[in-house]
Amino acid sequence: METGQEKTIQWFPGHMARTRRKLKECLPLVDAVVEIIDARIPVSSRNPELDSLTEEKPRIVVLNKADMA
């Protein structure tokens, strides 16, 4: 680390920011949102930002890997 300066750690990957921008851009064109989550870890596999991003669009939640749960 340089003296007197701290490095900022960027934890939000670029592909996630790009996807969020694209979702906001395309959302007016869709009627409903399909959210696919891992049935083995249903709470932690959800994106906490999805509620605010999808506004009030109807949502279908699909559990993936249910045979492994």
Side-chain angles (χ1 to χ4, degrees):
M1 216 174 257
E2 297 177 21
T3 57
Q5 296 180 358
E6 292 183 22
K7 282 188 168 183
T8 302
I9 297 172
Q10 178 65 345
W11 64 270
F12 200 76
H15 71 282
M16 291 172 64
R18 188 171 40 253
T19 301
R20 184 173 46 183
R21 284 192 302 272
K22 188 69 172 174
L23 182 61
K24 285 181 181 180
E25 178 185 313
C26 294
L27 194 59
L29 305 173
V30 301
D31 295 324
V33 175
V34 177
E35 179 183 6
I36 302 172
I37 60 175
D38 191 326
R40 299 169 297 171
I41 49 170
V43 175
S44 61
S45 64
R46 295 187 86 165
N47 185 333
E49 293 185 21
L50 198 57
D51 289 334
S52 63
L53 290 172
T54 58
E55 300 165 355
E56 298 195 18
K57 297 281 183 177
R59 187 183 313 172
I60 299 168
V61 178
V62 177
L63 294 172
N64 189 28
K65 301 183 181 180
D67 59 321
M68 301 172 86

